[in-house]
Amino acid sequence: MFGIESLLVVTVVMPLAAAVLTALFGPRLLRSQSHWPTIVALAISLAASLLLVWQVAQEAEATHTARQNEPVPSAQPTSHSLGYERTLTLWTWTGGGEVGQTALSVQPVQDPLGPPPRIEVTLRIDPLTAIMLATVLTISFLVAVYSVGYMHGDPGYWRFYSYIALFVFSMCMLVSVSNFLLLYVFWEAVGLCSYLLIGFWYQRPAAAAAGKKAFLVNRVGDFGFALGVFLLWLTYGTLNFHDVQTGGQTQPGILGQTFLQQPEQYVGGAVGTAIALLLMAGACGKSAQWPLHVWLPDAMEGPTPVSALIHAATMVTAGVYLTARCLPLFLAAPIGPLVVACIGGGTALLAALIALTQTDLKRILAYSTISQLGYMFLAVGTGTALGVTAGMFHLFTHAFFKALLFLAAGSVMHAMGGVIDIRQFGGLRRHLPWTHTTMLFGCLALAGVVPFAGFWSKDAILLAVGQQEGLVYQVLGWAATATAFLTAFYTFRAFFRTFYGPERIPEETGGHVHEGPPWMTAPLVVLAAASLVVGAYFEWTHGFAHFLAQTPSLCLAGLALEGPRAELVSHSQVALLSTLVVLAGIGLAALLYLGSRTVLEGLTRASAAVGLYGLSYGKFFFDELYQAVVVMPLTGLARLCGWLDNQAIDRAVDDVGAAPRALGALFRSLQVGLVPFYALAMILGVLVLLGALMTG
Amino acid sequence: MQHVFEDLFGSAVRIGALWAVAPELVLCAALATMLVVRMLTPRWRHSPFYVAAAGLAAALALVVCWGLPAGSNQIFTGMLVQDGLAWFLRGLVLLGTLVVVSLTALSRTPTEEGYLEFYFLLVGAALGMCLMVSANHLVMVMIGLEMASICSYVLAGILRRQRQAMEAALKYAVFGAATAGIMLYGMSLLAACLGSVHLPTMARGLADRLSGLPHTEGAAAYQSVLLLGGVMFLVGLGFKLSLFPLHFWAPDVLHGAPAEVGGFLSVVSKTAALGLLARLALVLSGSAGLAQTPALGHVVQALEPARQTLAGLLALLAAVTCTFGNLAAYGQTNMKRLMAYSTIAHAGYMIMPVAALLASAGRDTAAAQNALAALLFYAAAYLWMNLGVFGFTALVRDRCGREEIETYRAFGRQSPGVTVLMAIQLFSLVGLPPMAGFMAKFTVFASLWQCGLGALLLVAVLNTVLSLFYYLRVIRVMTAVGEEGKHSEPGHPAMLSRSERFTGESTTGGLSGEKGVEGPGMAPPSASPPGAEAESAPQAAQPELPLLSWAGLWLLVVCVPVVVLGIWWNGLFALAQAAAAASW
């Protein structure tokens, strides 16, 4: 009954059903009870996904053990499959034709318009998908519960839950489809949900503009992604991840066993690099990496639960998922991993620098999200087993503590009557004890303090980067360490300014400061507990890495995920260094924001004098740069086109349209009704014809 | 019996030949019966209608039952010819007349006076037209043509009390007579030059002259006379087809005559004239009439310059006529007048395949046959859509006495079903898929392409675009919301202003422009002055034409073939191709 396939279907279908139900019955029937379909569906999905993880772990372990015990015949070194995967084909979406590729000979499709790609709606389950599903659904469920309190009384209550359920469905499909085209479809679907939810309060111009900005910036990345998908189709003649058995023949999928066992078959060179870079463009857009990071801070205009769910924990990690999933394609490109690592490391540092001086609590968290996502890309960009595991591990832990931080910030905002500027409030720890404690957990986890979740995963990343050869990785390693320091500093800057110092309460609260309802505090507590334990638990059991290593894409031959563990010496060195750095950051924050103001003011003045403060506060002026370089020329071009359309084309069309009428009026004027005139005209006409014929 | 016939007409006339003209004989019988029944039962007011309908239906049944002739066959010592072209067009002529007759039952147009005359003349004209499409001899050409024409002149003026109708009839008669005279003169020139009045013989003679001409004395003079004769002959045909510059009568006559007569003239009469033109083209292309000729290939070859000249002339006339008709239709305010120009434009489209036939006959018989098939298909499709629109005009006039396009404003609200039918007909006239008009145009255009008349094809396509505006304007008026409002549609400001320019301005502008100069020749009709109509009449009596009335059902029945032929066109087109093949 609880077969893996049925569990998978249940997991993804429930949110869709909830979305449809809420959309249908929300406005009239459910109204303020609109959260029930979504919460029930997400609870079921969550249970199913946890069962799924358990079952996948069982089966993966079984196959793994069987494989190790099996005496490997030397003649067929690669007879068994790599990793663990199951696919479930639901129906054939389009294209009946067989793709004319039967052997493992990678030949570009000769005629791009030839056989249409056969697209089957196929779901897959493997450890990577299982982890993503469980993470997404856990956070989604908690956020949905939290929103009951947070969104209470909003006129668009049912709309909110319908969108959320639709988003969860899209996100689940995104991580479980087994085809690049479908991946693209749900990639766009989560983008759509993100747009809808950022602009949820569409009456506010800022929200509408932020939604638009997110959508447009994502479009740039998605354009690259689409090109990447086209190029994949041209190069490999298929878009499937998995191998397809058709009539006794194996049609290799891009991430299927056939390719994975012979990774040298992957197309490298310019084409391979182009594929990797185009996919990376898509990932940059979705995961808000430089240079497409500008949309995420603005996306904080959406409701805070949305920021927690979509713009911190789940959707923005889709880029990391894509990179991890397509790791073989990146490894096939000569500079693929390096580019990913550089973008990740650079973005991590850049976003951390910007976060130093921001005053909007949610924006600080947004930049920290960008920065942490940069860590993940940096880790995946090492291209090693250790790095990918570390990156996914960080994705996993980050989802918990970042969701926690956002929900806590939402709780603050809720109590402050919508004010989120850290300059306007302070010393709230007595008013918001639950929020204070849980947020402290979140901050410690984000900063990476032993034994909170962030420590273990960040540590793993620093370790993975440190183990890489080469100057670039060395530099990136130092940048990551510096980022750790900055992260600790800005996190506690926000924390101290919010909860410590002299008590300041903005007028918007009306002097009535209180904790949110239990709907809101309960998820905070759960997430705080998770932030404390998930890192340590999985680190000490090695369960996460071991499980993830069963993912086919990460079992690439030559990528020994289960190699010897990192030496304890270097491990402890890294841990020690990062702990010192983090403590220094926290200490500095405490010194500046809990101690005397003079130091802080002096420092601020000094940095402002050399322009550093303004640079950070102005977010390195990327928005202004894009405005000048991209938006304004395009606006100018659009104006020009509009002018041409109105003045030249429309006028020309008008004139062309006027010409027949003018001619018609002329011709009509021939029709005078006079018999002699008609006769004359006829005779003249015939004479002209005759004359033309005679002479010609 | 056969003996008597042979005594009377000589052995050349066989009784079998009489069977071949049985439809015509049935029409003759119907004419006689009409008079007799009228005399015997003067109380039975509607007897002429029933007799005419029965006669036409019987004749049509005869044509259909006999089926397509196997090939070309001359009868009555070559006076007439039985072939695919004659069979197909005779069927169309009879069918079209029958449809017009059925319309008159609903639109009550031949009023008390002239009731008998109307049907008598209608059947008489149909008889003449049947002869026209099967004529193979100049004498038969003239007889058929005059029989059709004289009846038509009177039909145009059948409403004797209306000045407008009388004027139309008079104009028609004057120009008809003049052009008939010119045509007769051209015929005599041709006959004198070629030494025969039997069309295939004339063609053979022409071939001899053309191949021998360069070597004889006075070649240039001979050629001039031949050309002159040919052009004068064409004048007569061009008049019937309302080709530019012989179209002048058409707007005035179709405007003045009742819509039923207008439909008859624009469809049936035109079909017959087209048949005559196609007959000439066939004869010049070496049709079966020349089969007995020893060196047919040589004759066909020798006629190539004549064909090319005529093809060029027809292509030019087609292009000019089509463009003129479509442009002049802009800004018309009277539905009948609009349709008159539309008729002119469609005449242009319809002679295009004749040009294609002539252009390719010498080289590619299959292409030429395809062109003829396109012509036949076009004529068949045109019958339904044009009669549909004229019928609608007549039915609305029957209800409110007006024929202005403005009369139909917001018609869609009152009678949505009929509005849809009209929209289908007008779309078909434009040539939009999936209507019959689209396939008709498509086959014609395809044959133009096949026969290498690319320039003409371009003109034709551009003309289709031009025609879009004035047909759609009628639909727009019919579906417009608001009472009198020309500005009532909400929409984009730019679009609004542009559409205003198309309708508001042009209706008034076109009216004053045309009426102003028309004044001296044609006094504004007293019954329904168009100028006063559009401005003053408050549309109190909005005509109502529900789909579930006899009139609505009639429109539906006429509309059905337009859709059916547009979608399942291949059946009719295959028949047209067979008819074309049977004409060679």
Side-chain angles (χ1 to χ4, degrees):
Chain A
M1 181 181 173
F2 292 122
I4 283 187
E5 278 87 358
S6 49
L7 280 177
L8 183 58
V9 171
V10 166
T11 307
V12 296
V13 162
M14 290 310 292
L16 178 64
V20 173
L21 273 182
T22 315
L24 284 181
F25 300 117
R28 300 244 180 281
L29 217 62
L30 296 168
R31 293 208 187 101
S32 64
Q33 301 300 314
S34 296
H35 51 272
W36 285 115
T38 304
I39 287 184
V40 170
L42 290 186
I44 295 173
S45 275
L46 174 60
S49 73
L50 292 178
L51 264 177
L52 205 55
V53 171
W54 183 68
Q55 290 213 356
V56 169
Q58 295 290 314
E59 291 204 14
E61 192 55 40
T63 45
H64 184 63
T65 321
R67 197 177 303 146
Q68 282 185 335
N69 295 342
E70 172 187 315
V72 179
S74 55
Q76 290 174 306
T78 57
S79 61
H80 55 73
S81 59
L82 290 168
Y84 169 82
E85 66 175 332
R86 293 276 286 272
T87 55
L88 169 63
T89 301
L90 297 177
W91 71 87
T92 302
W93 181 22
T94 177
E98 299 295 324
V99 179
Q101 190 183 7
T102 50
L104 186 63
S105 55
V106 176
Q107 284 176 347
V109 180
Q110 293 302 319
D111 177 12
L113 300 175
R118 180 186 171 90
I119 304 295
E120 288 175 330
V121 178
T122 303
L123 299 183
R124 68 181 289 117
I125 186 74
D126 58 21
L128 182 60
T129 295
I131 287 175
M132 289 299 291
L133 279 178
T135 315
V136 167
L137 285 164
T138 310
I139 305 297
S140 304
F141 175 70
L142 292 172
V143 168
V145 170
Y146 176 91
S147 306
V148 175
Y150 190 85
M151 299 299 291
H152 178 74
D154 192 280
Y157 196 63
W158 64 272
R159 199 158 52 89
F160 179 83
Y161 273 99
S162 187
Y163 288 167
I164 287 283
L166 185 63
F167 165 76
V168 177
F169 163 71
S170 306
M171 190 69 203
C172 289
M173 286 300 283
L174 170 69
V175 295
S176 39
V177 291
S178 189
N179 181 296
F180 273 104
L181 191 68
L182 291 170
L183 176 67
Y184 186 80
V185 168
F186 289 102
W187 190 266
E188 293 299 321
V190 292
L192 170 72
C193 294
S194 160
Y195 165 77
L196 291 172
L197 284 165
I198 294 171
F200 180 75
W201 289 311
Y202 52 82
Q203 302 91 337
R204 298 203 327 226
K212 216 158 51 182
K213 183 172 177 183
F215 203 74
L216 289 177
V217 174
N218 265 301
R219 199 100 335 262
V220 178
D222 293 348
F223 184 63
F225 187 25
L227 290 182
V229 173
F230 298 158
L231 199 53
L232 278 171
W233 161 245
L234 276 179
T235 312
Y236 293 99
T238 180
L239 290 174
N240 282 334
F241 292 172
H242 57 284
D243 293 351
V244 176
Q245 305 290 340
T246 44
Q249 284 177 325
T250 303
Q251 185 213 324
I254 296 174
L255 303 171
Q257 297 292 338
T258 320
F259 270 114
L260 291 175
Q261 288 171 8
Q262 287 158 279
E264 65 277 4
Q265 292 285 346
Y266 278 109
V267 176
V271 173
T273 311
I275 291 175
L277 292 184
L278 289 170
L279 291 181
M280 187 60 198
C284 277
K286 194 61 70 192
S287 291
Q289 294 297 290
W290 180 88
L292 301 177
H293 63 278
V294 289
W295 67 271
L296 189 56
D298 286 11
M300 297 304 130
E301 291 293 340
T304 307
V306 171
S307 307
L309 174 62
I310 300 185
H311 304 120
T314 55
M315 186 193 81
V316 287
T317 61
V320 183
Y321 166 77
L322 178 71
T323 323
R325 172 67 77 197
C326 303
L327 190 67
L329 295 173
F330 281 92
L331 290 178
I335 58 163
L338 197 64
V339 169
V340 174
C342 286
I343 289 181
T347 308
L349 187 60
L350 178 80
L353 283 172
I354 296 175
L356 289 181
T357 55
Q358 298 302 309
T359 54
D360 181 317
L361 184 57
K362 280 179 71 181
R363 281 184 188 243
I364 296 174
L365 293 177
Y367 278 107
S368 115
T369 303
I370 298 175
S371 175
Q372 300 301 311
L373 288 168
Y375 265 129
M376 298 172 208
F377 277 102
L378 172 62
V380 175
T382 58
T384 59
L386 202 58
V388 177
T389 318
M392 289 308 297
F393 191 30
H394 197 53
L395 187 157
F396 177 66
T397 56
H398 174 256
F400 288 95
F401 62 73
K402 188 49 67 69
L404 167 62
L405 283 169
F406 266 109
L407 295 186
S411 181
V412 172
M413 197 170 163
H414 189 72
M416 292 295 106
V419 174
I420 198 64
D421 192 330
I422 54 174
R423 289 170 301 190
Q424 294 191 31
F425 46 71
L428 299 178
R429 66 180 181 280
R430 265 183 295 280
H431 295 287
L432 305 171
W434 284 100
T435 309
H436 167 243
T437 316
T438 51
M439 194 163 181
L440 177 63
F441 275 51
C443 288
L444 288 171
L446 175 59
V449 177
V450 179
F452 289 88
F455 168 76
W456 305 103
S457 51
K458 184 187 287 182
D459 203 42
I461 291 173
L462 293 177
L463 183 66
V465 176
Q467 281 192 340
Q468 283 296 101
E469 305 285 327
L471 179 66
V472 180
Y473 283 107
Q474 295 298 322
V475 173
L476 287 174
W478 287 113
T481 313
T483 308
F485 169 74
L486 295 172
T487 306
F489 175 75
Y490 70 68
T491 308
F492 277 88
R493 166 177 174 263
F495 182 72
F496 290 145
R497 289 199 67 160
T498 305
F499 290 104
Y500 291 86
E503 184 175 303
R504 269 179 299 158
I505 292 175
E507 292 167 4
E508 282 85 345
T509 59
H512 178 62
V513 180
H514 60 90
E515 274 286 6
W519 284 108
M520 286 167 69
T521 43
L524 287 179
V525 173
V526 174
L527 283 170
S531 301
L532 179 60
V533 297
V534 287
Y537 173 74
F538 284 110
E539 180 68 17
W540 286 107
T541 57
H542 298 309
F544 192 90
H546 184 69
F547 181 53
L548 191 65
Q550 302 296 321
T551 308
S553 296
L554 308 179
C555 293
L556 194 64
L559 182 71
L561 262 184
E562 301 202 71
R565 293 289 304 166
E567 296 149 37
L568 204 58
V569 181
S570 68
H571 199 296
S572 52
Q573 275 177 352
V574 170
L576 190 65
L577 179 64
S578 73
T579 303
L580 284 177
V581 161
V582 165
L583 288 179
I586 296 175
L588 185 62
L591 177 71
L592 292 181
Y593 294 100
L594 298 182
S596 77
R597 309 283 299 165
T598 50
V599 186
L600 175 67
E601 279 163 12
L603 198 63
T604 309
R605 255 199 304 279
S607 60
V610 293
L612 289 177
Y613 188 86
L615 204 58
S616 169
Y617 190 71
K619 306 155 199 166
F620 286 80
F621 303 109
F622 274 108
D623 280 334
E624 287 74 9
L625 182 72
Y626 291 164
Q627 183 76 21
V629 175
V630 180
V631 177
M632 274 164 59
L634 282 179
T635 314
L637 190 65
R639 290 234 175 89
L640 184 69
C641 289
W643 183 84
L644 275 179
D645 184 42
N646 279 328
Q647 299 298 318
I649 296 175
D650 274 11
R651 286 238 176 128
V653 170
D654 284 356
D655 290 349
V656 168
R661 275 184 297 126
L663 281 172
L666 186 70
F667 287 153
R668 279 201 310 277
S669 67
L670 287 176
Q671 205 73 27
V672 293
L674 286 174
V675 174
F677 176 79
Y678 287 181
L680 183 67
M682 286 187 191
I683 291 167
L684 276 179
V686 172
L687 283 182
V688 167
L689 274 183
L690 206 58
L693 282 176
M694 292 281 190
T695 54
Chain B
M1 188 74 178
Q2 188 158 6
H3 180 70
V4 179
F5 267 109
E6 282 179 14
D7 273 0
L8 279 174
F9 302 109
S11 60
V13 178
R14 284 179 293 277
I15 189 108
L18 274 183
W19 278 115
V21 292
E24 284 84 350
L25 292 179
V26 167
L27 291 185
C28 288
L31 289 174
T33 314
M34 215 181 282
L35 297 177
V36 172
V37 170
R38 182 61 161 195
M39 239 180 332
L40 294 181
T41 58
R43 294 278 180 92
W44 189 19
R45 274 189 53 232
H46 295 298
S47 65
F49 165 76
Y50 289 108
V51 174
L56 287 165
L60 181 61
L62 277 178
V63 171
V64 172
C65 290
W66 283 346
L68 191 60
S72 185
N73 181 25
Q74 298 189 60
I75 49 174
F76 295 118
T77 63
M79 295 295 259
L80 294 177
V81 64
Q82 294 302 112
D83 62 0
L85 175 76
W87 176 81
F88 196 97
L89 289 184
R90 199 156 58 163
L92 280 189
V93 163
L94 293 171
L95 183 64
T97 316
L98 192 58
V99 173
V100 171
V101 167
S102 70
L103 170 66
T104 58
L106 299 167
S107 69
R108 296 180 288 189
T109 267
T111 42
E112 200 60 38
E113 56 168 1
Y115 193 82
L116 170 70
E117 289 89 327
F118 181 84
Y119 292 106
F120 191 87
L121 292 168
L122 203 62
V123 174
L127 177 59
M129 288 164 189
C130 285
L131 289 180
M132 272 166 81
V133 297
S134 47
N136 197 34
H137 194 281
L138 284 183
V139 171
M140 285 315 294
V141 169
M142 209 56 209
I143 289 175
L145 200 65
E146 283 308 302
M147 194 163 177
S149 300
I150 292 169
C151 293
S152 304
Y153 304 153
V154 186
L155 275 176
I158 197 76
L159 299 177
R160 268 167 284 177
R161 310 245 164 140
Q162 286 192 7
R163 276 188 66 184
Q164 212 182 1
M166 287 315 295
E167 187 182 326
L170 192 62
K171 273 184 184 165
Y172 196 16
V174 166
F175 288 114
T179 49
I182 293 172
M183 185 178 178
L184 202 55
Y185 187 44
M187 283 178 177
S188 64
L189 284 180
L190 288 177
C193 280
L194 302 176
S196 172
V197 284
H198 178 234
L199 289 177
T201 314
M202 288 171 78
R204 202 160 52 227
L206 182 61
D208 291 345
R209 297 294 188 287
L210 286 176
S211 51
L213 260 182
H215 314 295
T216 51
E217 295 262 331
Y222 224 95
Q223 204 172 2
S224 308
V225 174
L226 275 176
L227 255 179
L228 189 64
V231 169
M232 288 169 92
F233 189 11
L234 270 187
V235 164
L237 284 181
F239 173 78
K240 293 300 281 184
L241 281 168
S242 69
L243 300 182
F244 187 91
L246 304 159
H247 66 279
F248 283 102
W249 62 276
D252 288 0
V253 170
L254 293 186
H255 187 182
E260 295 84 348
V261 177
F264 179 73
L265 290 182
S266 72
V267 172
V268 185
S269 172
K270 195 152 288 187
T271 304
L274 203 61
L276 207 46
L277 189 65
R279 171 74 56 213
L280 285 187
L282 277 181
V283 167
L284 282 178
S285 313
S287 74
L290 289 166
Q292 295 89 340
T293 316
L296 179 62
H298 169 72
V299 170
V300 172
Q301 207 57 43
L303 287 171
E304 183 68 16
R307 277 199 302 271
Q308 290 307 331
T309 309
L310 190 54
L313 187 62
L314 285 182
L316 179 70
L317 285 177
V320 174
T321 304
C322 209
T323 315
F324 174 86
N326 279 326
L327 288 179
Y330 277 61
Q332 296 299 336
T333 55
N334 182 291
M335 191 66 192
K336 285 195 297 185
R337 213 174 171 84
L338 179 86
M339 287 310 292
Y341 285 109
S342 147
T343 298
I344 295 173
H346 279 278
Y349 292 126
M350 282 197 273
I351 63 168
M352 285 174 188
V354 182
L357 191 164
L358 285 165
S360 63
R363 304 188 308 269
D364 186 355
T365 310
Q369 288 185 356
N370 238 349
L372 185 59
L375 169 71
L376 297 180
F377 186 88
Y378 201 113
Y382 182 66
L383 184 151
W384 295 107
M385 48 204 195
N386 222 33
L387 282 184
V389 176
F390 269 106
F392 172 79
T393 315
L395 291 168
V396 173
R397 180 221 50 212
D398 180 44
R399 276 155 181 73
C400 69
R402 285 191 302 265
E403 290 164 340
E404 303 305 312
I405 295 171
E406 273 304 306
T407 313
Y408 311 141
R409 182 165 288 285
F411 201 80
R413 206 166 5 157
Q414 299 261 355
S415 324
V418 167
T419 306
V420 169
L421 295 182
M422 269 304 281
I424 289 175
Q425 300 281 18
L426 290 167
F427 279 135
S428 180
L429 281 170
V430 176
L432 293 181
M435 318 302 173
F438 168 73
M439 277 321 295
K441 272 192 178 149
F442 182 78
T443 51
V444 166
F445 292 177
S447 80
L448 287 183
W449 179 252
Q450 202 178 4
C451 300
L453 296 176
L456 188 56
L457 173 63
L458 186 68
V459 173
V461 171
L462 283 179
N463 263 294
T464 304
V465 178
L466 288 181
S467 71
L468 196 68
F469 293 100
Y470 61 87
Y471 288 127
L472 288 193
R473 211 186 82 218
V474 178
I475 300 179
R476 182 178 171 278
V477 168
M478 291 181 79
T479 54
V481 288
E483 292 299 308
E484 311 289 298
K486 290 165 185 164
H487 317 282
S488 50
E489 301 112 308
H492 194 269
M495 293 302 294
L496 194 64
S497 71
R498 217 169 296 152
S499 61
E500 255 170 59
R501 246 176 285 156
F502 267 118
T503 56
E505 187 187 294
S506 58
T507 43
T508 54
L511 218 149
S512 64
E514 192 157 332
K515 207 186 81 189
V517 285
E518 230 170 272
M522 177 184 273
S526 53
S528 56
E533 196 73 49
E535 289 144 26
S536 63
Q539 315 279 331
Q542 172 75 298
E544 207 172 326
L545 202 56
L547 190 59
L548 289 176
S549 63
W550 286 112
L553 288 178
W554 185 88
L555 287 171
L556 178 66
V557 168
V558 175
C559 194
V560 164
V562 171
V563 178
V564 170
L565 290 184
I567 298 172
W568 292 281
W569 53 274
N570 20 19
L572 181 66
F573 191 66
L575 184 65
Q577 273 180 320
S583 308
W584 240 260

